[in-house]
Amino acid sequence: MTTTEIRPAPEAGGGASDAARPVRWWSGRVSFRMHRRTALVSGGALLLAALLLLVSLCVGSYPVPVPDVARALFYGTGDRLAVHFVNQERLPQALLAILVGGALGMSGAIFQSVSRNALASPDVIGFNSGAATGAILVIVTFGGAAASVAAGAIVGGLVTALLVSVLASRGGLQGIRLVLIGLGVTAMLGSVNSYLLTRSSLNDAQNAHIWLVGTLNGRGWSSVQIMAAALVLLLPPVLLFGRRLRMMELGDDLATGLGVRVNRSRIALTVLGIGLCGVAVASAGPIPFIALAAPQIAAMVGRSPGVSLVSAGAVGAGLLSAAHLASSQFFSALVWADRQVGWARVVEESQRNNLLPVGVTTAVLGGAYLAWVLFKRRGTGTA
């Protein structure tokens, strides 16, 4: 166990009594505590995300060598096309993958810890679908400006979360009840989304459908700036409540005995988790699997008894970065396979004009992961 503690300089006449006071964040004392293995998992996941970012800057329909990438990044010089692809297309999408993946990973960790259920992630219990409904309403009604779509997604996620929480809170918030009600709400919202698409114009329906799949294609620096600003506002309170979250995993009675206001903390954590999910969906669409799997993978690799918000966010960033790279190179791989062994006739224009949305890749992985979780828990009577 490694502990890093930052303490203010002692005041005159302080003495030993000041050193014995409990840690309080508003007094100027900040404490960070993390298992050594959890820290290694977090650092390794972030390093993987950084390496994947570098690879994504180099590969593509217009390959760019590493030295040219460095010149384009740090000096803005070199081949004009290389500078454009690196700085204006690939770098913002790769950075957005890290930010969105981190937000989804921490959001999933919050909901899984609060509900004490490994399946209680935003994409399973309906929050992503609610955010998608809000965004589609904005696209169909107001034409789909970026800021309006983001606001609609956040409001839709909040309303859906409130509905699901009210329906699932009878007799206490139970994980299995939350998951089942969330699945029902997701199914209903899916029908609403389909109806809205049928009643919209062809152009609006096409824009909404592309957004619904979940994609980083075409995202620019404006999306990165919005996502980064939202995380700057949300991360401090999320990390502040992280310590309370670990104590709440011990049970409401024990957490109350340790001085945690369980109900207030649960409400605050739920709002923060919805905020992280909402800004992620607003930036890249309802990307599945990341919020579901990242916390569990982090806990499994880190051999931690509970879910760590930091490691879940780091693993989420690594997972989405890997999915983004795989999606961006999918058609390139098919073209290469066609040239080598003739697997399938893939036209060259498909590589240039059609980029596989990252939501498709994560949905395939998410389905396999969900089947594995259910198979692993067979016969236990729990989901």
Side-chain angles (χ1 to χ4, degrees):
M1 190 82 68
T2 58
T3 302
T4 302
E5 188 167 352
I6 304 172
R7 301 185 181 183
E11 299 177 356
S17 60
D18 289 338
R21 290 177 182 173
V23 174
R24 300 188 185 278
W25 66 271
W26 57 83
S27 66
R29 176 182 290 181
V30 182
S31 179
F32 301 94
R33 192 179 185 186
M34 182 180 296
H35 285 275
R36 182 176 286 106
R37 189 176 180 90
T38 302
L40 291 175
V41 171
S42 302
L46 291 177
L47 179 60
L48 174 63
L51 292 175
L52 292 172
L53 183 148
L54 177 60
V55 173
S56 66
L57 296 181
C58 298
V59 300
S61 58
Y62 187 84
V64 181
V66 174
D68 293 345
V69 169
R71 281 193 292 268
L73 285 176
F74 297 110
Y75 304 105
T77 59
D79 182 70
R80 182 176 58 85
L81 285 178
V83 174
H84 170 75
F85 275 107
V86 170
N87 291 338
Q88 301 302 322
E89 292 192 14
R90 297 174 184 173
L91 181 59
Q93 293 177 19
L95 288 176
L96 190 62
I98 293 175
L99 297 177
V100 170
L104 290 175
M106 287 187 288
S107 178
I110 289 174
F111 287 115
Q112 290 177 10
S113 295
V114 169
S115 64
R116 302 168 195 165
N117 191 296
L119 299 181
S121 67
D123 44 343
V124 173
I125 58 180
F127 297 168
N128 282 7
S129 298
T133 302
I136 293 175
L137 281 173
V138 172
I139 292 174
V140 172
T141 306
F142 302 105
S148 302
V149 172
I154 294 175
V155 172
L158 287 172
V159 173
T160 305
L162 178 62
L163 176 62
V164 173
S165 299
V166 170
L167 293 176
S169 61
R170 183 178 179 181
L173 189 63
Q174 301 293 330
I176 186 62
R177 184 188 296 124
L178 181 66
V179 171
L180 293 176
I181 291 177
L183 289 173
V185 172
T186 299
M188 291 187 291
L189 290 175
S191 300
V192 172
N193 294 342
S194 299
Y195 174 77
L196 291 174
L197 290 177
T198 61
R199 303 300 299 176
S200 60
S201 65
L202 180 61
N203 185 53
D204 290 340
Q206 184 177 10
N207 293 335
H209 180 71
I210 294 174
W211 186 89
L212 271 175
V213 174
T215 181
L216 300 172
N217 302 331
R219 299 296 191 267
W221 285 109
S222 59
S223 299
V224 176
Q225 292 169 355
I226 293 173
M227 190 70 203
L231 289 180
V232 168
L233 295 176
L234 291 173
L235 279 183
V238 166
L239 296 178
L240 173 65
F241 278 94
R243 183 170 177 268
R244 302 184 188 182
L245 185 64
R246 297 302 296 269
M247 288 188 288
M248 289 168 59
E249 291 177 352
L250 302 174
D252 291 355
D253 294 337
L254 185 55
T256 302
L258 293 173
V260 178
R261 296 182 177 180
V262 175
N263 291 332
R264 293 185 180 181
S265 298
R266 183 177 288 117
I267 293 173
L269 285 165
T270 301
V271 171
L272 291 171
I274 294 169
L276 289 171
C277 170
V279 296
V281 173
S283 299
I287 297 177
F289 169 65
I290 303 300
L292 174 66
Q296 298 303 314
I297 292 176
M300 179 179 62
V301 177
R303 298 177 184 174
S304 174
V307 178
S308 170
L309 296 180
V310 176
S311 61
V315 171
L319 286 176
L320 190 55
S321 297
H324 170 60
L325 180 61
S327 300
S328 63
Q329 298 306 306
F330 177 75
F331 286 108
S332 298
L334 286 184
V335 170
W336 178 86
D338 177 48
R339 290 173 177 173
Q340 298 299 317
V341 296
W343 279 357
R345 294 308 312 166
V346 181
V347 184
E348 291 281 354
E349 284 73 14
S350 66
Q351 177 186 0
R352 294 192 293 266
N353 300 330
N354 296 293
L355 296 176
L356 184 68
V358 70
V360 175
T361 303
T362 59
V364 173
L365 296 175
Y369 173 81
L370 184 60
W372 176 77
V373 170
L374 294 176
F375 176 79
K376 185 179 178 181
R377 299 192 175 212
R378 69 191 187 282
T380 63
T382 62

